[in-house]
Amino acid sequence: MSSTVRLTVAQATVRFLEAQHVERDGRTHAFFAGCWGIFGHGNVAGVGQALLERSQSDDPSRLGFFHGRNEQAMVHAAVAYARQYDRLRAMAVTASVGPGSTNMVTGAALATINRLPVLLLPGDVFATRPANPVLQELEDPSSMDTTVNDSFRSVSRYWDRVARPEQLPSALLQAMRVLTDPADTGAVTLCLPQDVQAEAHDWPVELFETRVWHVGRPVPQPAELERAVAAIKASRRPLVVAGGGVIYAGADAALAAFAEATGIPVGETQAGKGSLPYDHPRALGAIGATGTTAAADAVAAEADLVIGVGTRYSDFTTASRTVFAAEGVRFVNVNVARIDALKLSAATLVADAREALEALTDALDGWRVDDAYVERNTALAQEWDAVVEASHQATTGDTRLVQSAVLGVVNETSDPRDVVLCAAGSMPGDLHKLWRTRDRKGYHVEYGFSCMGYEIAGGLGVKMAALDQAREGADDDRDVFVMVGDGSYLMMNTELVTAVAEGVKIIVVLVQNHGYASIGALSQSLGSQRFGTRYRYRTDTGLDGDVLPVDLAANAASLGADVVVASSIDDLRSAVVKAKESTRTTVIHVETDPLVPAPSSPAWWDVPVAEVSALDSTREARTTYEQHKADQRHHLAPTDTPSTAQQSEDTPR
């Protein structure tokens, strides 16, 4: 008979998390790096007590605790940490009953959309129902079993409620199955009723033994590989679209080798930016609605075969299915998740990105696209780089800076291994086009959910991961540059306080343009005249008065950060140098002109315009919308893989 140990459900949960490890490519390490928390009556006596007890232990494997200031922000920090670790490490997040828990729902959606692991431990109401409704409990007249935590179901890859101690082991094991599965990962939610958290139980000691979860590299099936190779050999103008799966699989070197051997050019999604250094001979830069006008998007428009590697083909990547415009264009998709491999009627290669690229390179040995195609793509990339350089030097006619020039200064002044981070507004699109990425982990833009408020919390999570990686033997530490507009800053700046408290340095470049630059431009293009996008005093005609006297620099200083106000390019360059030399979190405040755009892309994004309107601006926008809508493609035809005999004689060899 196995021995047991008596612990509460919360204590057992913490002990279990401490014992979980992952292994990939022969490297094993603890999976959980810590637990974020804000305590209230739903978790303070349960998970909070368990974390307190472990914090007073001298066990080096004890789960660390990090105190956040906003529940959504804690999830963002945990998700960013997992992304920096290529999904091989993660964090748990605990919150109290009611609003503390529902505040985490947005973060859960962000994690699941971006396929990033995070374990959520929301406090729940009493399982035993001794006196309900408890404070902050939702009363559902149709069921006593419904709580606000049911809202996590639709945004979690796995959801469970532990109503009895006996249910905990199976719930924890299922949670780990999902968290460590590259094809199925995302937010995992284990709802813990507050009375159950504190309930004691005799647990088998085996539950707390070290458990190693193997993160494998699925290899291509021979038949799928054969079909993919045939499709590539039958193409004349192939293009690779590199997504986040390239980064997470550590397949950047394999991608470079594939592109160099075959001559096939590479465009990058937001998540895939950094798959190749910006100056790699086969790199075409950003693709899609925020793509490089003269490079990746131009090649995509003529490509007869698109090879998606680790991309989920969001509407920004496909420019709402208009960027891949060639008649008869076909797709080959490499992805560890079958749901993504099947998109756009592709020939599928369900496999790890590194394994698949290496197999394709070997199978295509001796085959290469035509030299003229290579030379043309190289010239297009050089033309675009000249556009980038010009945008980095852009100026206005007044004292305000141009956003593209701000990005240029930070890009040029930062070190190659430094990380730039952003999530929402106009900067993600500008960064996608204009940032010269020099390291595979140097670019971190959350554009799956594009959540305003992710930036500062996400920057904190990335920096915490970078510090842990440095302690594990990485070459050196990285500075993290958080690029955030005033709109996102006002949404969630709370984790500046956490960064200061934890002594974790981030550099925040706060771009003040007194409104929503991105949505303002979108609104104007849709005929909505930038309505409701400016931060202004209300007048008799609406919110169209003078600029509000909001001092975001003073606000950042009040939260404990060092603050530098930069009013010129030289000021900004000096501020970045000073911030890099500092050991403290620094906010650099700059004013920009929101009406001076970065180089635009001709690619389209499908946002419907009102079909009827009394406004001339809206009617004109609807005409433009219908013109673009006519260019939309269904991509329903299956990708054929003709035999060698069917291939054209002018197919490159």
Side-chain angles (χ1 to χ4, degrees):
M1 185 175 180
S2 63
S3 58
T4 61
V5 57
R6 191 162 181 80
L7 299 168
T8 68
V9 167
Q11 292 163 358
T13 299
V14 170
R15 293 284 186 92
F16 176 87
L17 300 184
E18 292 172 347
Q20 305 311 298
H21 291 68
V22 295
E23 176 273 325
R24 187 174 77 172
D25 299 337
R27 296 186 59 188
T28 302
H29 56 258
F31 183 65
F32 287 101
C35 181
W36 288 89
I38 296 177
F39 298 122
H41 70 283
N43 64 345
V44 64
V47 175
Q49 187 279 334
L51 290 168
L52 166 65
E53 191 169 299
R54 293 300 287 161
S55 73
Q56 297 181 357
S57 165
D58 59 3
D59 186 345
S61 68
R62 65 185 181 274
L63 195 66
F65 170 70
F66 304 102
H67 180 205
R69 270 67 189 174
N70 177 284
E71 291 89 355
Q72 181 187 141
M74 294 192 300
V75 183
H76 292 336
V79 169
Y81 184 99
R83 175 171 168 174
Q84 184 67 17
Y85 256 99
D86 291 333
R87 307 190 290 206
L88 296 175
R89 295 198 82 190
M91 289 183 164
V93 186
T94 181
S96 62
V97 165
S101 289
T102 56
N103 279 351
M104 298 196 296
V105 172
T106 295
L110 183 146
T112 297
I113 285 173
N114 286 285
R115 320 284 170 83
L116 292 166
V118 63
L119 175 63
L120 305 179
L121 303 173
D124 214 330
V125 300
F126 286 87
T128 52
R129 304 175 186 170
N132 60 312
V134 69
L135 177 66
Q136 299 175 325
E137 178 178 355
L138 171 72
E139 286 189 279
D140 184 346
S142 66
S143 172
M144 292 290 288
D145 192 43
T146 300
T147 80
V148 295
N149 288 349
D150 286 81
S151 61
F152 285 94
R153 288 180 182 267
S154 64
V155 294
S156 299
R157 292 302 295 157
Y158 180 79
W159 182 98
D160 205 348
R161 176 175 284 122
V162 180
R164 291 295 308 142
E166 294 86 352
Q167 298 172 343
L168 183 66
S170 62
L172 290 171
L173 291 170
Q174 288 299 314
M176 287 303 303
R177 171 187 63 81
V178 173
L179 289 168
T180 59
D181 184 346
D184 201 34
T185 195
V188 169
T189 302
L190 298 183
C191 307
L192 300 176
Q194 56 182 304
D195 51 347
V196 176
Q197 287 184 45
E199 187 174 346
H201 185 73
D202 294 318
W203 309 94
V205 294
E206 293 87 353
L207 181 63
F208 310 113
E209 292 179 358
T210 298
R211 193 180 303 265
V212 179
W213 299 81
H214 173 67
V215 180
R217 291 187 179 275
V219 299
Q221 293 297 307
E224 288 194 332
L225 180 62
E226 182 180 351
R227 286 192 290 269
V229 169
I232 294 171
K233 285 185 174 181
S235 68
R236 299 185 63 220
R237 300 178 304 280
L239 168 69
V240 168
V241 175
V246 175
I247 307 292
Y248 301 141
D252 47 306
L255 176 62
F258 174 81
E260 290 159 9
T262 63
I264 299 176
V266 177
E268 297 172 320
T269 71
Q270 282 280 16
K273 192 169 172 69
S275 296
L276 292 181
Y278 83 95
D279 55 356
H280 188 279
R282 300 284 74 79
L284 295 177
I287 194 165
T290 53
T292 54
T293 307
D297 279 1
V299 175
E302 300 177 357
D304 59 359
L305 181 72
V306 178
I307 307 166
V309 185
T311 176
R312 63 189 187 93
Y313 286 113
S314 75
D315 65 337
F316 257 68
T317 296
T318 67
S320 298
R321 300 199 177 186
T322 61
V323 75
F324 305 120
E327 186 67 29
V329 61
R330 295 294 184 262
F331 298 84
V332 169
N333 289 342
V334 175
N335 208 294
V336 73
R338 183 167 290 277
I339 186 176
D340 294 321
L342 286 167
K343 290 176 179 175
L344 306 181
S345 305
T348 62
L349 201 57
V350 180
D352 172 79
R354 192 185 75 179
E355 295 290 329
L357 287 167
E358 290 176 349
L360 286 170
T361 303
D362 290 343
L364 291 166
D365 186 30
W367 181 90
R368 186 175 171 84
V369 297
D370 189 79
D371 288 345
Y373 184 60
V374 174
E375 292 168 4
R376 176 177 178 271
N377 295 334
T378 300
L380 290 175
Q382 291 172 345
E383 288 177 20
W384 178 255
D385 196 57
V387 173
V388 172
E389 184 62 30
S391 75
H392 285 180
Q393 309 302 322
T395 60
T396 64
D398 57 28
T399 58
R400 291 176 295 176
L401 303 181
V402 176
Q403 183 166 281
S404 63
V406 171
L407 302 185
V409 169
V410 177
N411 201 172
E412 294 158 14
T413 314
S414 60
D415 293 334
R417 280 177 49 82
D418 289 346
V419 182
V420 64
L421 184 143
C422 193
S426 60
M427 278 192 286
D430 291 356
L431 287 164
H432 195 206
K433 288 180 288 190
L434 305 179
W435 189 265
R436 290 166 166 163
T437 307
R438 297 159 286 177
D439 182 271
R440 79 176 190 92
K441 300 301 291 186
Y443 186 88
H444 185 124
V445 171
E446 189 285 297
Y447 220 57
F449 211 36
S450 187
C451 183
M452 295 180 70
Y454 174 88
E455 292 89 346
I456 291 173
L460 174 60
V462 170
K463 182 62 176 182
M464 292 170 72
L467 291 169
D468 284 349
Q469 289 168 329
R471 284 189 282 267
E472 292 171 1
D475 293 339
D476 52 45
D477 190 12
R478 305 168 183 258
D479 275 320
V480 177
F481 285 87
V482 174
M483 310 298 297
V484 61
D486 54 322
S488 279
Y489 179 88
L490 287 168
M491 286 274 185
M492 193 175 298
N493 53 36
T494 53
E495 300 325 298
L496 279 177
V497 178
T498 307
V500 171
E502 294 285 348
V504 176
K505 169 198 166 185
I506 57 176
I507 301 172
V508 179
V509 180
L510 172 53
V511 176
Q512 168 66 285
N513 51 39
H514 304 285
Y516 299 142
S518 174
I519 298 302
L522 177 65
S523 171
Q524 187 170 26
S525 72
L526 301 178
S528 295
Q529 305 175 14
R530 295 182 180 261
F531 178 72
T533 65
R534 300 180 179 93
Y535 292 160
R536 299 291 190 273
Y537 280 109
R538 181 173 294 280
T539 69
D540 292 341
T541 55
L543 293 171
D544 55 2
D546 292 337
V547 170
L548 298 175
V550 175
D551 190 340
L552 298 184
N555 175 266
S558 75
L559 299 178
D562 291 344
V563 177
V564 180
V565 176
S567 56
S568 70
I569 288 295
D570 288 341
D571 285 349
L572 177 58
R573 187 172 286 107
S574 297
V576 172
V577 171
K578 180 179 179 181
K580 283 187 64 61
E581 292 173 347
S582 175
T583 59
R584 286 178 40 80
T585 287
T586 301
V587 174
I588 302 171
H589 182 281
V590 296
E591 290 253 0
T592 63
D593 186 343
L595 300 182
V596 180
S600 63
S601 169
W604 182 58
W605 184 38
D606 190 348
V607 179
V609 179
E611 194 168 0
V612 295
S613 174
L615 301 176
D616 290 342
S617 60
T618 304
R619 290 197 299 270
E620 291 169 4
R622 178 69 191 191
T623 299
T624 302
Y625 175 77
E626 290 173 351
Q627 292 169 349
H628 283 296
K629 194 73 175 175
D631 295 330
Q632 223 165 12
R633 307 287 296 278
H634 296 297
H635 299 306
L636 294 176
T639 293
D640 298 322
T641 53
S643 65
T644 303
Q646 294 173 302
Q647 295 175 23
S648 170
E649 292 181 0
D650 60 358
T651 298
R653 301 291 181 187

